[in-house]
Amino acid sequence: MTNFISVQLKKASEVDLAKPLCKFIQQTYPAGEAQAEHCRAADELNKLRKSALGRSLDKHESALETLMRYYDQLCSIEPKFPFSENQICVTFTWKDAFDKGSLFGGSVKLALASLGYEKTCVLFNCGALASQIAAEQNLDNDEGLKAAAKYYQFASGAFQHIKDTVLSALNREPTVDISPDTVGTLSLIMLAQAQEVFFLKATRDKMKDAIIAKLANQAADYYGDAFKQCQYKDTLPKEVFPVLAAKHCLMQANAQYHQSILAKQQKKFGEEIGRLQHASDLVKTVASRYDEYINVKDLSDKISRALTAAKKDNDFIYHDRVPDLKDLEPIGKASLVKSTPVVIPISQKFTDLFEKMVPLSVQQSLSVYNQRKADLVNRSIAQMREATNLANGVLASLNLPAAIEDVSGDSVPQSILQKSKSVIELGGVQTVDQLIKDLPELLQRNREILDESLRLLDEEEATDNDLRAKFKERWQRTPSNELYRPLRAEGVNFNNILNKAVHADGQVKERYQSHRETIALLCKPEPELNAAIPSANPAKTMQGTEVVNVLRSLLANLEEVKKGREQLENDLKSVNFDMTSRFLTALAQDGAINEEAISVTELDRIYGSHTHKVQESLQMQEELLKNIQNAHQEFSKMKQSNNESNLREEVLKNLAVANDNFVELLANLKEGTKFYNELTEILVKFQTKCSDIVFARKTEREELLKDLQQSIAREPSAPSIPSQPAYQTMPAGGSKPVSSTTPTPAPRTMVAQGPPYPTYQGYPGYCQMPMPMGYNPYMYGQYNMPYAPSPMYPNPGQAPYPAPQQPGYPYPQQPYYPQQ
């Protein structure tokens, strides 16, 4: 029974996914059932991670199913949540699967705020656990053989997928266990083992020897390629190398054995003996070198019996010439395995916890669409409001409709009384005074939140710069000044918004002061208001004339236009159309969303009729104002004019203007208060974002400092010890150095050799040369190795001594500083 190689699992540090995801959901989605459902899904995801990574996993399909479901869920949320250092910042920490650590330094680990890193490590564990489950199968029955082949091919596909994607997923140097070279080798090892399982099944099913020989030869090739890939690299556990070398020989021996049976059937008795001899030599090589890893007694006995019988028959009966190995026809190959591609979902029982949440690209498109929609609606409403203010201003300058209502000359016109009543109902100057008094407090609150947010960034950035200056190139993480650029840009934008708001507040206050006295007059009771308006001769003679009737009709039409705008404004605000399905359809069909083209088309379809009505309203007002001004000119010519009447008319005009300014100022101040309150919510979210990223950076900084301390502890405190001077090794009166009384033993297992083919005359790698002393016919030298010689063994036949390692470094080929 041969041993199979299984891969160790990576170990992950605990991470709380629920808190940052719920915070993002609450900031992004409006309060309601959808938000609550997404938060519950985030809690379930956190529980799923704990089940998949927070405990020891059994070597059972159910444990692998949990891992695969977690991997599928990570793939599902990747397009829906913006995982990055400056958005949803979650730091995932994983240990190197093959690093055993050291007494002082601990094991190598890497911490990254990258969902791609988490996916890569989880998929590695899927492949590793699949290899362990496959190795546990009972290969004495069909079910076990089929399951082992399936899991080995799945593991091969998982490792191959990591090889293809790890560098782009991490955007930095990975740990050795998930580096492209390592996982590429693991993928090939798993494929070789799957092929070996098919060989075992073919043997068990007693298939034709020609087929079995091809299957075995293909498995030998896979093992040989895997050995070549990792031969000179210190990335995999040391026990892997002798197993690969032994399996390479054993599969070749099996191929030769079954091909010898085919030769016997074809009455090629010399070929039969030649192949059995080669198989016997291969098995002896494994037995002599790797008996502690692989038990070959059964195969060795079977080959020996066959070889003895074949030689006996040939010597006494057939007398067939035994060909040299180089003259034997190569054995064919038949591959029945392939790496199972990683196709999402890899779990058959996967259910997306965030199925109702739209992808991030759709969310972004919706955000831009809503901004376009708001701009369109606000632009249309602003046009109508500006037109209404213009109309009110023109009417106030003409003293309309008060001029045609003032029939007695000593009472308050009805339109002025209505304006006075409206101002009083809205609170008058007291309301405006209170709103203006509140503005500085609201502004100061927003200033303090913004300043505190930027202070957090400044302090963390200063700390990061100090540590970077101290540790230089060892401080391997994204500089804070680069990471905070988007946040800094947001801060500058918020500061500009506040500055503009301060300027706008000043204009409102200045305008209010210029009209406050007249607005206060409108707030007085009717008798006081009437007393404040100068009396004048009545204009009763003008009542009932054609020009007055025309003015009344035109003013009534203008009032209808203004009322129509109020309804049109409500219609514009009430239009609601969900673009989610439209963007999802575009994403499914094209793989991308052309937001601008889709949004412009849909906005034109939805709002086209409303914007057309807005333009009609503006054109109608323009014509009405022109006619009102012409009619008022005729009215002014006909009306008796004197100083008293002119003074009265001027006061009435001012009261009308004051009313219009009061209404506009009150609206502006309420909008300003609403703006500051909404900005407070936005700035609090901004402060939370800054606080979160600073906290994450602080945690990352502490872990990185800890790793740097461990790394420094592993470094040698002094250069390598110099060689001992010759005179110190000489005896007191002699000239020969004192030799060591204890020789250094050679290691039993040789880990850096090529696959151990026998070297004898007739083998393709044979090269005639003088045999050195102590020659081992199974030892490779630099002249007869099929692969490049190891620098550890430069001379043929020389006893293998381990190469000296770099002093003080337990991991001399570590190309990076681990992060946490």
Side-chain angles (χ1 to χ4, degrees), residues 392 394-404 415 419 551 555 628 632 635 653 656:
N392 292 337
V394 171
L395 294 183
S397 67
L398 300 177
N399 194 27
L400 292 175
I404 59 177
S415 62
K419 288 178 171 61
L551 277 173
L555 290 174
I628 288 171
H632 185 267
F635 174 77
K653 286 181 181 179

Side-chain angles (χ1 to χ4, degrees), residues 58-61 63-64 128-137 148 151:
D58 297 329
K59 298 176 183 179
H60 191 270
E61 186 175 3
L64 179 60
L129 185 58
S131 73
Q132 294 177 13
I133 296 173
E136 292 292 314
Q137 298 300 312
Y151 287 124

Side-chain angles (χ1 to χ4, degrees), residues 713-735:
R714 288 197 296 263
E715 293 180 357
S717 57
S720 57
I721 300 174
S723 58
Q724 195 173 10
Y727 72 87
Q728 294 182 4
T729 64
M730 304 264 299
S735 60

Side-chain angles (χ1 to χ4, degrees), residues 161-323:
H161 186 79
I162 295 173
K163 177 186 177 183
D164 297 337
T165 61
V166 63
L167 295 181
S168 59
L170 270 61
N171 289 322
R172 61 150 294 156
E173 190 71 22
T175 47
V176 176
D177 55 344
I178 56 173
S179 65
D181 285 348
T182 303
V183 290
T185 302
L186 291 176
S187 176
L188 193 52
I189 292 173
M190 295 300 113
L191 206 60
Q193 296 187 152
Q195 180 74 14
E196 183 180 354
V197 169
F198 275 105
F199 157 76
L200 294 174
K201 178 168 173 49
T203 305
R204 185 176 181 277
D205 293 345
K206 298 181 180 179
M207 298 181 70
K208 295 181 179 179
D209 289 289
I211 295 175
I212 298 176
K214 290 178 180 179
L215 292 175
N217 200 35
Q218 181 65 69
D221 258 22
Y222 285 145
Y223 279 120
D225 290 343
F227 186 92
K228 282 191 289 184
Q229 285 189 11
C230 62
Q231 183 178 3
Y232 304 116
K233 297 172 184 175
D234 187 21
T235 56
L236 296 176
K238 61 181 181 180
E239 60 269 15
V240 170
F241 307 112
V243 172
L244 292 178
K247 289 286 190 89
H248 176 74
C249 290
L250 285 180
M251 287 296 101
Q252 276 200 324
N254 276 292
Q256 294 292 346
Y257 172 74
H258 287 279
Q259 193 69 19
S260 73
I261 297 176
L262 181 63
K264 181 178 181 181
Q265 293 170 355
Q266 297 173 348
K267 301 188 183 304
K268 300 178 180 178
F269 304 109
E271 178 183 338
E272 176 193 10
I273 295 172
R275 293 191 183 280
L276 287 171
Q277 284 178 341
H278 184 42
S280 178
D281 291 336
L282 288 166
V283 171
K284 288 177 181 178
T285 300
V286 175
S288 63
R289 294 187 186 179
Y290 309 117
D291 60 321
E292 61 183 294
Y293 300 101
I294 303 290
N295 183 5
V296 295
K297 186 176 187 307
D298 292 343
L299 179 61
S300 178
D301 291 346
K302 182 168 62 173
I303 293 174
S304 295
R305 288 194 300 269
L307 179 58
T308 301
K311 284 184 175 179
K312 181 178 179 181
D313 290 344
N314 193 54
D315 289 342
F316 286 97
I317 304 173
Y318 306 115
H319 304 291
D320 197 5
R321 186 183 69 86
V322 178

Side-chain angles (χ1 to χ4, degrees), residues 798-815:
Q798 179 180 335
Y801 287 89
Q805 292 202 349
Q806 189 173 349
Y809 279 86
Y811 307 107
Q813 296 186 5
Q814 211 69 10

